[in-house]
Amino acid sequence: MAPMGIRLSPLGMAVFCLLGLGVLYHLYSGFLAGRFAFFMLSEPAAGGPETPHGSAPGGTVDLRELLAVSVLAAVRGGEEVKRVREGNVLNAKAKGKTREGAEEQLTTGDLLSNRRMFYLLKSAFPAVQINSEERVDTADQETVSWDHSIPEDIKQKIQPKEVPAESVTVWIDPLDATQEYTEDLRQYVTTMVCVAVNGKPVIGVIHKPFSSYTAWAMVDGGSNVKARSSYNEKTPRIIVSRSHAGKVEQVARQTFGNKTVIIPAGGAGYKVLALLDVPEKNQEEADVYIHVTYIKKWDICAGNAVLRALGGHMTTLTGEEISYTGSDGNEGGLIASINMNHKALIEKLPDLEKTSHK
């Protein structure tokens, strides 16, 4: 018997229960959905890496952190380069021909260095575009982590600087001077990382694996390397690729005089270091670096950034700035200098621009 003499039919009881369930569902569904959303936002995906500070998609990147990782990547890649060379397990093979018809070499050192450098940078900054000389094989992925430590010299000289992640492009050269590497001309070999923001090179790292020397610089930041104090602008020492010495020598001596010295060398990284004050016994010194043919951007980006940070210049042979976006090649050759009248150098060498297209 119901209170007050009211009797509920079985149908009424069913309706009453359904209404009660509806109220409970309304009260708790929002709460559970909110807890689920909070859980998804708070926890990384199962099996996936945590997103490092300042590199979330659509977020920002701290250039000081990126410099620290770039230095570490160049050193780690250099360890692979040195290990392969000293073990004499190069497994060198031709990977194609240059525009000039020369065979391009590919070694185990290139591949292992590339894998180590790429995955270290990618795990630390997954939102950043990375361009590398060698193809990255996803089936051979390596788990490499960064502990977020920043070397003391970088901490002391560089302040944190946030930039949009989508504005950043990283260029990797896992083994510069591969031809010389196969010939055991170790002094020319470098590993390099460059960071460009909106196409302009702002961070450069050049590492010499066989002497453990590393040069780094950040535009409007600081560096651990400096320019040499004396240069000869009237009869400069010009450093060029070993295969291009003949192309440059005749024009250079006609322009600057017969006393002009032409220095054949391997590797774009080595040639840029020749313009700087580098404490290396096997490092030659030059006043100007000239390249008269097509060259890839991962070969020159790091050196360009270092020179810019120190007040130097690297341009095409006609004086145009090189943009590190878009295609991976630079068509206009290059001329690099520091503490010299760069514009005057370009005006003295008008015939080299034509040579660059041959």
Side-chain angles (χ1 to χ4, degrees):
M1 178 73 68
M4 303 297 292
I6 300 174
R7 182 187 298 273
L8 295 177
S9 67
L11 179 59
M13 288 293 292
V15 171
F16 181 81
C17 291
L18 287 174
L19 287 172
L21 289 172
V23 170
L24 291 173
Y25 175 82
H26 178 74
L27 290 173
Y28 285 96
S29 61
F31 172 79
L32 292 173
R35 294 301 296 170
F36 179 76
F38 176 80
F39 175 81
M40 294 301 291
L41 289 171
S42 301
E43 299 291 330
E50 293 185 9
T51 302
H53 171 69
S55 62
T60 59
V61 169
D62 180 3
L63 290 181
R64 184 171 74 165
E65 290 188 350
L66 189 46
L67 168 59
V69 178
S70 297
V71 170
L72 182 60
V75 172
R76 292 277 180 86
E79 291 170 353
E80 296 297 317
V81 168
K82 183 178 180 181
R83 182 175 63 82
V84 169
R85 177 66 266 184
E86 292 182 342
N88 198 28
V89 286
L90 274 65
N91 297 319
K93 60 182 180 181
K95 68 174 182 179
K97 291 188 176 183
T98 66
R99 290 190 178 186
E100 299 164 291
E103 291 283 358
E104 284 193 283
Q105 297 290 309
L106 178 67
T107 70
T108 302
D110 293 88
L111 297 175
L112 294 180
S113 175
N114 182 68
R115 184 177 70 178
R116 180 64 59 88
M117 294 173 71
F118 178 87
Y119 284 115
L120 175 57
L121 284 157
K122 196 64 179 176
S123 65
F125 295 93
V128 167
Q129 178 181 337
I130 301 176
N131 296 335
S132 179
E133 179 174 7
E134 307 304 338
R135 185 175 65 87
V136 178
D137 188 351
T138 55
D140 198 26
Q141 182 171 342
E142 181 172 343
T143 301
V144 187
S145 61
W146 176 51
D147 62 5
H148 291 266
S149 64
I150 299 176
E152 284 302 317
D153 59 341
I154 294 178
K155 278 185 180 180
Q156 292 173 6
K157 296 180 180 181
I158 307 295
Q159 296 299 313
K161 184 177 181 180
E162 300 279 338
V163 297
E166 63 269 20
S167 69
V168 176
T169 305
V170 176
W171 296 83
I172 298 174
D173 193 340
L175 201 170
D176 190 40
T178 300
Q179 180 61 45
E180 287 73 19
Y181 182 65
T182 63
E183 298 171 19
D184 209 15
L185 299 174
R186 304 183 183 194
Q187 71 271 24
Y188 297 128
V189 175
T190 62
T191 58
M192 296 188 285
V193 180
C194 177
V195 176
V197 178
N198 295 320
K200 294 182 178 181
V202 298
I203 290 174
V205 179
I206 305 174
H207 175 68
K208 299 184 77 172
F210 296 102
S211 64
S212 300
Y213 173 77
T214 306
W216 60 260
M218 178 172 160
V219 175
D220 297 327
S223 70
N224 72 340
V225 65
K226 58 185 179 180
R228 288 187 292 106
S229 57
S230 61
Y231 292 86
N232 189 337
E233 198 159 345
K234 293 183 178 179
T235 55
R237 292 166 293 179
I238 301 176
I239 194 164
V240 299
S241 293
R242 295 162 71 207
S243 58
H244 300 163
K247 292 183 178 181
V248 177
E249 183 172 6
Q250 184 177 1
V251 174
R253 289 188 172 161
Q254 286 175 352
T255 303
F256 297 109
N258 289 329
K259 292 184 178 180
T260 302
V261 176
I262 303 298
I263 304 172
Y270 178 89
K271 298 184 188 81
V272 168
L273 291 178
L275 307 181
L276 308 176
D277 185 9
V278 174
E280 288 279 291
K281 63 180 182 180
N282 291 327
Q283 179 66 59
E284 294 167 285
E285 294 183 353
D287 302 307
V288 181
Y289 165 27
I290 293 176
H291 188 86
V292 295
T293 60
Y294 174 87
I295 191 168
K296 293 296 182 69
K297 291 178 181 177
W298 41 67
D299 290 317
I300 60 176
C301 186
N304 197 342
V306 171
L307 289 174
R308 285 188 69 223
L310 298 176
H313 302 274
M314 180 184 287
T315 66
T316 66
L317 294 171
T318 57
E320 297 176 358
E321 296 294 333
I322 302 169
S323 174
Y324 293 91
T325 57
S327 69
D328 60 15
N330 172 51
E331 297 280 355
L334 70 84
I335 181 169
S337 69
I338 189 168
N339 288 345
M340 298 182 73
N341 188 332
H342 192 77
K343 184 177 180 181
L345 287 172
I346 294 168
E347 291 172 350
K348 284 182 179 180
L349 296 169
D351 294 332
L352 286 177
E353 196 277 330
K354 296 178 182 177
T355 307
S356 72
H357 298 294
K358 291 182 181 180

